[in-house]
Amino acid sequence: MMVNLCGLLNANKEPVPLKSVEVELEVRDHVATVVSTLNYENKEDKPLEAVFVFPLPGDAAVCHFSAKIGQTQIVAEVKEKQKAREEYDDALSSGQQAFLLEESEQSPDIFSLSVGSLPPGESASIRLEYVTELAVQADEGLRFILPAVLNPRYQPQGSEGGSVQVTSVPASLVPYSLSFSARVSSPRPVSKVESNCPLDPLQYLNTEQSQATVKLAAGHKFDRDVELLIYYKDAHQPTAVVEAGQASAKPGSLMGDPVVMLSLYPEFPQAVMSSLASCGEFVFLLDRSGSMSGARIKSARDTLLLLLKSLPMGCYFNIYSFGSSHEHIFPKSVEYSQETMEEALKKVEEMNANLGGTEILKPLKDIYSQPCIPNQPRQLFVFTDGEVGNTKEVINLVKKNSGSHRCFSFGIGEGASSALINGLAKEGGGHAQFITGTDRMQPKVMQSLRFALQPAVVDISVTWDLPKGVSVTALSPPITALFQGQRSLIYGQLTGQSSEAAEGCVTVKYSLAGHPSQNQLHFSLQPAEDTGLTVHRLAARTLIRSLEMEETERRGEQDEGVKKKKVVELSVQSGVSSAFTSFIAVNKGNGETIQGPLVRRNDPTLLMQCYMVSGLPLMYEMSCDMPEMTCARKAKAPSSPGFLSNMKKKRVVFKRAQSEADHLSPQSDGQHVNDASSSSANSSPQQPPRDPLLQLVFLQKASGCWVLDPALAAALGKTSEEVEKPKPASVNKEVWATILALIWLHGFKMDAQEEWELLAMKAASWLRAQNAPCVTECVDAGNSLLGCKVQKDVLGL
């Protein structure tokens, strides 16, 4: 069904009621507070009800929601979900204005906002606040994402809950203004801030450069997520923040006691890190649903080529792909050899995004049903654009199997579900990566392969040493994975008082490749000033998430009820959203029944677009042919705005348009632009069909060597004769070819070293095993031929 673009206007061709959006971001070290203000105006001649659906970061703690109508400010309260829905319906039936904010029961990164009973000509301003932890990137930058795109989520047949199906509309039609500003502060200097969108220059607020502000340049169109990368000097320092409890809350409760947030960066011994594993079962699971078409699937094929060339001899591997159905290259994982690698590459070259929807649960069950291979630890790599409706079910399955594998996840393109991608890695003891804009997939994936080849960290334990009279309650789930240089966050509730020295200590012990190791952090128990309740809210969110994720399969209804009661109590006490609670705000000031029929903006005939910005709908479509509904209704559940759980009752139904606008290419535009330089905003030219680097990589054998043939000569930009002539007489052809390939990589492709580093290590290891004569002579002759100056030791020889 094609999108009817006049749907952006109402029946009288008047604009949609969202007028403007303001976003303010405050970053303190590695925690962000986001305040979004949405300004609405009802230009209808009838009262208006509208429903908006939008994405938020999957681990965000929504902690404030309020509405201002005229001069009246109404602050929402957190209530149990069904009670909140009933209160909302009662308010509308009585002609009162009401606002309801709900988290999806299927996926914690989708929210719906119902704006009820806005009188004709009236304006409303809605304020939404949330806090979130910032993820650490491979280059030590902290990543903040303002989601602009909520992609269609595929709901497998027979699964519970309705699907959120949305359409994509060109961003040029976004009819309102948006402003975005950020303030960054840290104990360490802020070295730079980068974005995929043009920024105004960074402004420092003090001489230490530890505080700065930055704004999005004017004229930005929200056709993609806004990504900020914040870099601090000496980012890898462990830190601890103790936050005082809320004065009005009961001592002994989570909000009444101080809470500590520890940020740890394990540093592993160099000797252990340099020895990459030579075993393992590597299972690659590739999304081939329709939304992966174009640049996404091509990038995924190139990435699988690099992965297959970088695997160690002696390991096992298999490749699964999925859409509405799923396929595998081999019935079960096979040993890595030249033959199996060639067979896999042939199948990879033929892969297209032609398998329909995004049903990831069945292939995962298939993978987990295969017995593990002794002494070959299973490593699962999942590539998806994350358009999945049954997020919690998928994550629960990975968690259930976390004892037998590690899961590394990759979110591809704008709008990939952060709840799904982060959840897979967190529960699977792996690492999550997001590939957006013009990001290249290959370096991020190869970094995760390096993590997968690191020895697994086992027997992780956390011990606390606190003064007499002070005890700690852990609020974070146990740490299941540690990787070199990657941050681990731990939250703890501190109860009691001590007259002794106000210092605590936490020790993380673990075993790495058979060596017992530990990292220790001493911290002051003195609460930090001026952090508000940010740490408490993040801690509450962490605890709520782990309670929600507790396995429910073997629980009885009674246990499920106990869990739900715990989550609701914690959510209401902390003022942080959960799957079982909602924010409800009712303007009780005007009890008069509103005259005239109430225009609904969520009828089944409605096409609703969900391009949105963190609590900000980027666009929605309105229907022009809906039945009128009077507001003096008393019906409860069937008309309650129950979001996903009530989708089947047709309260909010989104139709997915199968048009060329349906899926944005992840490679469309918007590379990272340094804040100080506008010239780098120009996107790089498209690559030729097969990049010279990939051409050379394609020719490498599974053992690590190259063969001296015309294809290699062409990849090096030479003729066969030019390549063969300078070869020292006593050296065999494979040794000479492999040395030439390594010199070319080091001489011409250092900017892409992350992508080929592992396969070059494999080549160097193969060369060392040959004990070849005249290696120095070969390197000199190779440099001379290729016009390079690469040293022998740089090649690892």
Side-chain angles (χ1 to χ4, degrees), residues 91-111:
L92 293 202
S93 301
S94 314
Q96 294 172 320
Q97 292 146 348
F99 302 86
L100 184 77
L101 182 73
E102 297 187 302
E103 179 184 312
S104 150
E105 282 164 22
Q106 287 295 322
S107 187
D109 60 347
I110 307 179
F111 280 73

Side-chain angles (χ1 to χ4, degrees), residues 438-694:
T438 54
D439 283 357
R440 278 175 64 76
M441 192 186 295
Q442 292 87 330
K444 293 194 174 188
V445 174
M446 299 315 288
Q447 187 211 10
S448 289
L449 180 59
R450 273 194 292 278
F451 282 155
L453 290 168
Q454 282 179 18
V457 176
V458 294
D459 304 330
I460 304 169
S461 67
V462 177
T463 52
W464 299 77
D465 184 11
L466 297 165
K468 199 175 171 189
V470 180
S471 63
V472 67
T473 307
L475 302 172
S476 309
I479 298 173
T480 54
L482 284 176
F483 295 104
Q484 166 74 14
Q486 284 299 302
R487 184 190 66 201
S488 291
L489 284 175
I490 301 171
Y491 294 95
Q493 177 183 339
L494 300 170
T495 308
Q497 297 280 319
S498 170
S499 53
E500 296 176 30
E503 188 180 81
C505 174
V506 70
T507 307
V508 180
K509 293 183 179 176
Y510 50 90
S511 178
L512 179 70
H515 303 283
S517 296
Q518 66 175 47
N519 291 102
Q520 212 168 47
L521 176 63
H522 292 266
F523 61 95
S524 164
L525 293 175
Q526 192 63 35
E529 289 177 20
D530 202 26
T531 61
L533 288 168
T534 304
V535 173
H536 279 75
R537 285 168 178 155
L538 286 171
R541 183 60 163 163
T542 302
L543 192 50
I544 286 169
R545 274 282 170 267
S546 40
L547 284 169
E548 286 174 351
M549 286 302 298
E550 272 180 14
E551 244 178 286
T552 54
E553 283 175 18
R554 292 188 296 275
R555 288 170 167 273
E557 273 184 35
Q558 194 178 351
D559 286 344
E560 192 59 26
V562 170
K563 178 186 90 166
K564 183 178 170 181
K565 189 176 174 222
K566 252 184 174 171
V567 170
V568 170
E569 278 175 7
L570 189 57
S571 176
V572 170
Q573 183 201 6
S574 62
V576 165
S577 60
S578 76
F580 304 126
T581 52
S582 305
F583 279 93
I584 172 81
V586 177
N587 184 6
K588 295 183 175 147
N590 60 340
E592 301 165 31
T593 302
I594 292 173
Q595 298 303 306
L598 179 66
V599 180
R600 295 292 295 272
R601 287 298 180 228
N602 52 2
D603 189 86
T605 59
L606 165 62
L607 299 176
M608 196 178 255
Q609 158 57 24
C610 288
Y611 254 152
M612 304 226 164
V613 185
S614 290
L616 347 161
L618 267 195
M619 191 180 297
Y620 69 96
E621 297 209 353
M622 309 167 76
S623 95
C624 307
D625 56 348
M626 57 191 75
E628 293 185 332
M629 296 186 189
T630 58
C631 55
R633 58 194 163 88
K634 283 289 178 192
K636 290 280 178 73
S639 63
S640 68
F643 194 38
L644 281 180
S645 62
N646 283 0
M647 284 286 195
K648 289 180 180 168
K649 296 172 186 161
K650 304 289 186 193
R651 184 150 186 345
V652 185
V653 176
F654 302 94
K655 300 289 183 194
R656 180 174 179 176
Q658 297 300 325
S659 68
E660 65 277 2
D662 203 342
H663 302 292
L664 296 175
S665 157
Q667 307 291 336
S668 54
D669 54 1
Q671 63 192 46
H672 277 114
V673 183
N674 194 305
D675 58 313
S677 158
S678 58
S679 63
S680 58
N682 301 323
S683 57
S684 55
Q686 277 299 105
Q687 300 235 323
R690 166 89 15 113
D691 157 295
L693 170 61
L694 294 177

Side-chain angles (χ1 to χ4, degrees), residues 404-417:
S404 62
H405 82 306
R406 286 196 289 188
C407 180
F408 296 84
S409 56
F410 305 90
I412 300 166
E414 311 295 344
S417 164

Side-chain angles (χ1 to χ4, degrees), residues 79 82-91 584 586 588:
K79 295 192 176 177
Q82 193 54 38
K83 277 186 192 162
R85 288 173 186 169
E86 289 174 9
E87 198 174 312
Y88 177 85
D89 272 347
D90 281 347
I584 172 81
V586 177
K588 295 183 175 147

Side-chain angles (χ1 to χ4, degrees), residues 5 8 168-174 223 611 619 661:
L5 295 179
L8 290 168
S168 292
V169 172
S172 57
L173 298 167
V174 175
D223 53 349
Y611 254 152
M619 191 180 297

